[in-house]
Amino acid sequence: MSTTPTAATATKASISELQRIASQVRRDIVRQVHGVQSGHPGGSLGCADYLTALYFNILRHDPANWDMDGRGQDLFFLSNGHISPVWYSVLARSGYFPVSELATFRKLNTRLQGHPTTHEGLPGVRMASGSLGQGLSVAIGAALAKKLNGDDRMVYTLHGDGELQEGQIWEAAMFAASKKVDNLISTVDYNGRQIDGDVEDVLSLGDLKAKWSAFGWDVLETEGNDMTALVATLNEAKGRTGKGKPVMILMRTEMGQGVDFMMNSHEWHGIAPNDQQLAAALAQLEETLGDY
Amino acid sequence: MEAYPVLDQKDTRSGFGAGLLELGRRNPNVVALCADLTGSLKMDAFKKEFPERFVQVGIAEANMMGIAAGLTIGGKIPFTGTFANFSTGRVYDQVRQSIAYAGKNVKICASHAGLTLGEDGATHQILEDIGLMRMLPGMAVVVPADFNQTKAATLAIAEHEGPVYLRFGRPKWPVFIPAEMPFQIGKAQVLVEGADVTLIACGHLVWNALKAAEELATRGVRAEVINMHTIKPLDEEAVIRSVTRTGCVVTCEEHNRHGGLGDAVAQALATHRPTPQEYVAVNDTFGESGTPDQLLKKYGLDTPDIVRAALQVLARK
């Protein structure tokens, strides 16, 4: 435990800086989940690069002056709230709250609830999520408010691929295209895995690109664990906003990315590493910003 | 004893529509959303005058609740409009997580509540919505009595910070609350004073309770009539003050006897002042097709049912 420097947010981090931050974020993830022996490391590790790129390169935001309305700022909504460890790490490392608070994850009286919530007043979080399928609708509402307020900033969302089995997602998808909500960039964590196994076996999503295209979205595809490709795609997505269509990024990731024994399986969706497994995981992840 | 003459016959949903239009003119942050029931909810006038602040979401109530929650981020005050069934049971988890737990300033406005929806039958006649909504922490539940009060309530909930469930109905109904009568969320109204029995009612049944009080007066029973337009937060003081004088109470609601106004009153009294109580409510069943009057009679919510309940509870004092 130490006073830990937060990564700079005022400037856009370079690709190599982003990679260094993401390594620390991955350490934060496995340490949070190990510390309480509870939580969801797999999806969190898979999305560490995305959230790092978003918060340290893409988003126009001001962590020091956070407020609920977020006028004049880009907004982010985590719809698949179970990957809270990665979000909490990135929020803390961006300066929304002290990094030392990561040690309270999922513990009694914490602001870092198992699934993210506004209820405890954690800066950076604007919506409760965890019950899946709701975040896209919320993001659309926030995007409409931005249009009504003459605010030209963007709204970003992240969803799990398994989450797309929820019907509300498709209600929202239909709405966003029909009403031309074009200040919205959504991303699907397309790791192909969910609690009960492979998405393909549990309930196939079919041709996901064709589905979103047919719903009227501008669809991009990227590799979510390749920082260079990811940043390029997010910038490409920004360039496609304001043209009458919502933008969807289908982001291929590997659940458990960065920790070899957590990869290539759905087994680490929602279980915590023991002491030996923690040590084995941390040995693969460079401590770049100092552990909390 | 005609303390409240009938001023007109109007539907409470039109009171909502009138209130919403006035709100649109008063407050630029008020936004309205509707799930393909604009005419039924009487939201046409708002839509026409403020098209940029009206969101037609189609038949997708879950999405509507989420969009409403999101609109509050950016300072909007969203009013959602659909039937009571589709405002609560259909979207309970969306309301629970994205609105109530998240503490969002959304006004859930619900028409066609209860049996008086009429011929559409039980699929649409929700009788469980008050219970569902009052169980959610932080959710205010408002059930106004007539057109005038529904309009006043619509204006009032815009000033209330936090989620609100506003319940109203379909049929033309006596207008008897003076338009100038002040409306305050959580503040019950004693419409008639009496010393023998307290009738506490909400929504359409406030009128029936007034009629029942007149009937009881002819039998020498002085009934006090309380319009409990806010089920949550419940005006417990008003309940306790009244039963301290009368010693017994009848609760009247167009809702299942489980979870509604009656249970809210019973909970307050059991805690603070145990008092004999009778329920005039639907007896744990679904409704059916029929005219509003036929249904209120068949399911025991008519004026004579309230009179009978009052005489019963008087005998238990």
Side-chain angles (χ1 to χ4, degrees), chain A residues 66-84:
Chain A
W66 183 85
D67 68 10
M68 179 58 73
D69 277 3
R71 294 195 199 198
Q73 312 230 353
D74 291 334
L75 306 183
F76 170 71
F77 293 96
L78 182 71
S79 189
N80 48 334
H82 57 277
I83 67 164
S84 55

Side-chain angles (χ1 to χ4, degrees), chain B:
Chain B
M1 184 185 130
E2 181 92 359
Y4 293 91
V6 177
L7 308 170
D8 204 346
Q9 295 279 343
K10 286 186 180 178
D11 45 359
T12 50
R13 55 185 166 145
S14 286
F16 165 67
L20 186 66
L21 179 63
E22 192 169 321
L23 270 180
R25 292 169 179 163
R26 281 189 196 180
N27 189 336
N29 281 325
V30 167
V31 178
L33 303 92
C34 190
D36 196 36
L37 288 168
T38 311
S40 295
L41 268 286
K42 305 295 178 184
M43 298 170 89
D44 290 317
F46 182 97
K47 178 187 176 185
K48 186 162 180 241
E49 194 162 322
F50 307 104
E52 75 289 352
R53 285 195 270 148
F54 179 80
V55 184
Q56 170 62 268
V57 298
I59 309 167
E61 295 83 7
N63 189 38
M64 176 166 73
M65 293 303 166
I67 292 176
L71 277 160
T72 66
I73 301 163
K76 301 302 161 195
I77 307 174
F79 282 64
T80 66
T82 181
F83 289 172
N85 190 22
F86 314 140
S87 299
T88 58
R90 187 179 182 90
V91 293
Y92 199 59
D93 189 43
Q94 285 77 16
V95 172
R96 180 178 179 274
Q97 175 173 284
S98 292
I99 295 175
Y101 182 45
K104 298 304 183 193
N105 192 27
V106 175
K107 315 305 171 185
I108 301 166
C109 302
S111 184
H112 293 55
L115 293 172
T116 53
L117 161 78
E119 293 80 352
D120 277 347
T123 52
H124 290 51
Q125 287 161 345
I126 193 162
L127 298 167
E128 307 86 32
D129 54 324
I130 294 174
L132 287 171
M133 299 310 263
R134 66 180 271 267
M135 277 197 294
L136 292 172
M139 179 71 69
V141 178
V142 178
V143 187
D146 74 351
F147 172 94
N148 284 343
Q149 187 155 74
T150 306
K151 182 177 177 189
T154 304
L155 297 172
I157 64 175
E159 305 296 324
H160 173 92
E161 181 67 30
V164 178
Y165 180 59
L166 179 68
R167 182 201 214 225
F168 42 91
R170 174 173 184 260
K172 284 202 162 62
W173 203 255
V175 181
F176 58 96
I177 301 281
E180 64 277 9
M181 186 184 276
F183 179 87
Q184 194 184 334
I185 294 172
K187 191 83 186 154
Q189 296 169 331
V190 179
L191 296 180
V192 177
E193 294 191 349
D196 299 327
V197 58
T198 303
L199 309 180
I200 301 178
C202 65
H204 291 135
L205 292 206
V206 176
W207 175 252
N208 293 11
L210 284 171
K211 296 285 106 184
E214 289 175 17
E215 172 63 25
L216 287 164
T218 66
R219 304 184 190 201
V221 176
R222 296 162 300 163
E224 178 145 301
V225 179
I226 296 180
N227 174 14
M228 193 60 76
H229 52 67
T230 306
I231 316 296
K232 187 183 176 186
L234 187 76
D235 189 345
E236 295 190 351
E237 271 185 39
V239 174
I240 293 161
R241 202 183 309 127
S242 180
V243 303
T244 300
R245 270 205 323 279
T246 63
C248 61
V249 60
V250 176
T251 50
C252 317
E253 60 193 310
E254 198 182 340
H255 190 270
N256 194 331
R257 61 185 284 114
H258 297 302
L261 170 67
D263 278 2
V265 168
Q267 187 178 50
L269 290 177
T271 308
H272 300 293
R273 191 179 181 89
T275 303
Q277 176 179 350
E278 292 290 330
Y279 283 62
V280 171
V282 175
N283 190 18
D284 200 19
T285 183
F286 294 102
E288 65 180 88
S289 293
T291 68
D293 284 347
Q294 288 170 339
L295 291 165
L296 291 179
K297 281 188 175 62
K298 176 164 179 178
Y299 288 84
L301 308 184
D302 202 6
T303 300
D305 301 300
I306 300 174
V307 171
R308 196 158 35 246
L311 296 175
Q312 255 170 26
V313 81
L314 273 165
R316 291 171 54 201
K317 273 216 267 191

Side-chain angles (χ1 to χ4, degrees), chain A residues 36-56:
Chain A
V36 67
Q37 285 298 296
S38 164
H40 296 79
S44 295
L45 289 166
C47 289
D49 301 305
Y50 167 81
L51 275 153
T52 299
L54 197 66
Y55 273 78
F56 292 92

